[in-house]
Amino acid sequence: YRCDDFVVNDTKLGLVQKVREHLQNLENSTFTSERHRKRRLLENSSLNSKLLKVNGSTTALCATGLRNLGNTCFMNAILQSLSNIQQFCCYFKELPAVELRNGKTAGRRTYHTRSQGDNNVSLVEEFRKTLCALWQGSQTAFSPESLFYVVWKIMPNFRGYQQQDAHEFMRYLLDHLHLELQGGFNGLSRSVILQENSNLSASSKCCINGASTVVTAIFGGILQNEVNCLICGTESRKFDPFLDLSLDIPSQFRNKRTKNQESGPMCTLRDCLRSFTDLEELDETELYMCHKCKKKQKSTKKFWIQKLPKVLCLHLKRFHWTAYLRNKVDTYVEFPLRGLDMKYYLLEPENSGPESCLYDLVAVVVHHGSGVGSGHYTAYAAHEGRWFHFNDSTVTLTDEETVGKAKAYILFYVERQAKPGAEKL
């Protein structure tokens, strides 16, 4: 007789053989289908890991982490913070790639890598490539090996794999980007490119060590340093450009360790700014050389901000040297996420409109641990209205409440247009 799937032989032996073959085919088919199903799940796992629930709907997480190359969290936290300062980041991403015009590479666009030798390194190019790799959503983590190699080449202080200070790295990075951007670029000065292609006005440019670049145009401000001799009353003023302000945490708050356990007033960012700008009498180790008295005299010092930058970078001085080691000040400092008003610290606030004094937070670098040579750095940053936590390769969506509880080490504020009812510090 005839079966649906196979024809039975006349003998029982043939029937058994055909049944075995049929069952084997079914087993193979089931196994193959299961294998394909698992493969599809694996292929989609990276995408699924980058999908988040936001307001009840699923959205793609386009953020890309940075792999830790061996205690390089200090670099990763700074890079992620800078990548979320849109005006600064976009300038580098829009730069053309560096072209090498020698030997076999003549006429072809190439990138600076380890294999091309010691002389062919460009911090700007590797910084550009790193920024381009972030926020594309094409990978969960990017390895900044080429950039770290260039850092080793041009910043000897950061060679090796020991933990480094994130603020010190940021200053070295910005200074070297500034210096390199002043050099030639395909026969045209990059400062000229900045002037021609940037929306930054001429008044926003602050020159530090030469011609203006995007570094000084974005981060550059000017301080007025005012010193008065207490003996003869002679006043001395000088103007100092800055890329960031380093603020002391006032001594009366330094024993307070956590937000919930503090007794008495909580330390705020305003306390730190006031401590920085208030009139101060210099101690015996900082006597001022008075040109009228012709000798070192007791004096007072006061800082004013003469010009505010587009991006205000505030560094909280959490590490202090004692007789034998460098201690960390673990005090929680309350800081605003919106509406930081800087007009109270301006030299001539009446000459500045309200739109030039209000700042909104865009990124925070946090140091976790007890010492500068140990611990771990992470960063919080805002991107398109959402806050993210960058912890090396891992990037997670977070909220404003979590950001506000962070023990900030470096704060990045972006200037904005004043709005009615803006929250003030």
Side-chain angles (χ1 to χ4, degrees):
Y1 59 91
R2 182 174 297 275
C3 183
D4 289 339
D5 298 312
F6 55 88
V7 178
V8 181
N9 289 340
D10 293 337
T11 64
K12 292 181 179 181
L13 182 60
L15 176 60
V16 172
Q17 183 64 30
K18 288 294 184 181
V19 169
R20 286 177 176 173
E21 291 177 0
H22 181 64
L23 291 175
Q24 184 65 45
N25 289 336
L26 287 175
E27 183 180 357
N28 290 340
S29 176
T30 302
F31 175 77
T32 302
S33 299
E34 180 66 15
R35 185 171 58 185
H36 288 321
R37 186 184 71 83
K38 290 182 177 179
R39 180 180 297 172
R40 285 194 299 271
L41 288 174
L42 288 173
E43 289 173 351
N44 292 332
S45 62
S46 60
L47 176 61
N48 291 335
S49 66
K50 303 185 77 173
L51 295 178
L52 296 173
K53 289 284 185 179
V54 179
N55 297 328
S57 60
T58 302
T59 182
L61 172 63
C62 298
T64 298
L66 287 169
R67 291 192 178 92
N68 193 314
L69 307 177
N71 282 327
T72 56
C73 56
F74 69 92
M75 178 177 74
N76 293 346
I78 294 299
L79 293 176
Q80 293 287 13
S81 298
L82 295 178
S83 76
N84 285 283
I85 299 173
Q86 294 304 313
Q87 204 172 15
F88 183 71
C89 179
C90 288
Y91 172 82
F92 286 93
K93 289 167 68 174
E94 292 171 2
L95 285 177
V98 169
E99 295 183 10
L100 300 180
R101 301 184 179 277
N102 51 26
K104 296 181 180 180
T105 63
R108 289 190 293 124
R109 176 169 292 181
T110 58
Y111 296 111
H112 294 305
T113 62
R114 301 186 186 196
S115 62
Q116 291 174 335
D118 296 346
N119 296 325
N120 294 324
V121 293
S122 167
L123 181 64
V124 170
E125 172 64 2
E126 296 303 335
F127 185 67
R128 183 195 70 81
K129 286 162 58 179
T130 301
L131 294 180
C132 287
L134 303 177
W135 293 106
Q136 290 184 347
S138 57
Q139 52 189 333
T140 56
F142 173 76
S143 182
E145 285 183 331
S146 296
L147 175 60
F148 194 43
Y149 171 73
V150 175
V151 168
W152 277 35
K153 284 294 179 184
I154 66 177
M155 305 180 200
N157 290 6
F158 297 94
R159 291 175 185 170
Y161 294 97
Q162 65 272 23
Q163 182 64 278
Q164 302 281 1
D165 184 279
H167 174 251
E168 184 180 358
F169 172 74
M170 182 197 74
R171 286 306 313 270
Y172 271 85
L173 177 67
L174 292 179
D175 287 345
H176 280 81
L177 288 172
H178 172 66
L179 291 173
E180 189 173 319
L181 285 167
Q182 292 181 75
F185 181 69
N186 285 348
L188 183 66
S189 170
R190 276 171 163 157
S191 60
V192 174
I193 295 176
L194 171 65
Q195 295 169 7
E196 292 180 350
N197 299 336
S198 174
N199 293 324
L200 300 170
S201 64
S203 62
S204 72
K205 300 187 175 94
C206 171
C207 294
I208 299 175
N209 297 327
S212 174
T213 68
V214 69
V215 175
T216 52
I218 296 290
F219 291 96
I222 299 175
L223 282 175
Q224 176 180 288
N225 186 355
E226 185 177 293
V227 179
N228 285 275
C229 175
L230 291 176
I231 305 303
C232 69
T234 298
E235 184 180 272
S236 173
R237 297 179 181 176
K238 68 174 182 176
F239 294 95
D240 298 316
F242 68 87
L243 294 178
D244 70 311
L245 298 178
S246 290
L247 311 178
D248 278 307
I249 296 174
S251 57
Q252 65 266 32
F253 298 108
R254 291 185 187 176
N255 292 328
K256 304 178 185 301
R257 300 188 62 81
T258 67
K259 182 175 182 180
N260 297 327
Q261 296 175 353
E262 289 178 358
S263 58
M266 180 183 299
C267 184
T268 68
L269 188 57
R270 186 174 183 178
D271 292 319
C272 300
L273 285 165
R274 279 178 172 171
S275 176
F276 179 78
T277 56
D278 278 352
L279 186 69
E280 173 190 1
E281 183 173 339
L282 300 177
D283 60 29
E284 296 291 337
T285 62
E286 300 178 291
L287 293 179
Y288 164 66
M289 174 58 76
C290 179
H291 297 291
K292 186 174 181 179
C293 297
K294 305 297 183 183
K295 63 178 182 178
K296 290 185 177 182
Q297 302 281 32
K298 287 187 175 182
S299 59
T300 60
K301 178 181 71 173
K302 180 172 176 59
F303 283 121
W304 295 95
I305 298 178
Q306 196 269 341
K307 174 190 170 295
L308 284 165
K310 294 291 183 183
V311 173
L312 178 65
C313 179
L314 301 176
H315 161 236
L316 299 180
K317 295 163 72 172
R318 292 195 173 276
F319 300 107
H320 291 267
W321 284 103
T322 63
Y324 300 103
L325 47 85
R326 201 178 185 191
N327 286 334
K328 181 182 178 183
V329 179
D330 207 31
T331 303
Y332 170 78
V333 178
E334 187 177 47
F335 54 91
L337 272 67
R338 299 180 189 84
L340 170 61
D341 196 339
M342 293 296 294
K343 72 172 178 288
Y344 305 108
Y345 317 104
L346 283 177
L347 179 63
E348 299 175 338
E350 66 277 3
N351 295 335
S352 299
E355 70 280 356
S356 62
C357 299
L358 288 174
Y359 287 80
D360 295 326
L361 188 68
V362 69
V364 186
V365 173
V366 181
H367 177 268
H368 311 267
S370 59
V372 66
S374 60
H376 183 58
Y377 287 99
T378 65
Y380 294 96
H383 186 83
E384 297 181 353
R386 294 183 294 169
W387 280 94
F388 295 86
H389 185 212
F390 297 90
N391 184 1
D392 288 335
S393 298
T394 303
V395 183
T396 54
L397 194 65
T398 188
D399 54 39
E400 292 185 353
E401 183 180 2
T402 301
V403 176
K405 292 179 179 178
K407 291 183 180 178
Y409 182 47
I410 306 172
L411 296 155
F412 296 88
Y413 283 93
V414 177
E415 182 186 48
R416 70 165 166 91
Q417 295 292 318
K419 296 179 182 179
E423 177 188 347
K424 294 183 180 180
L425 181 60

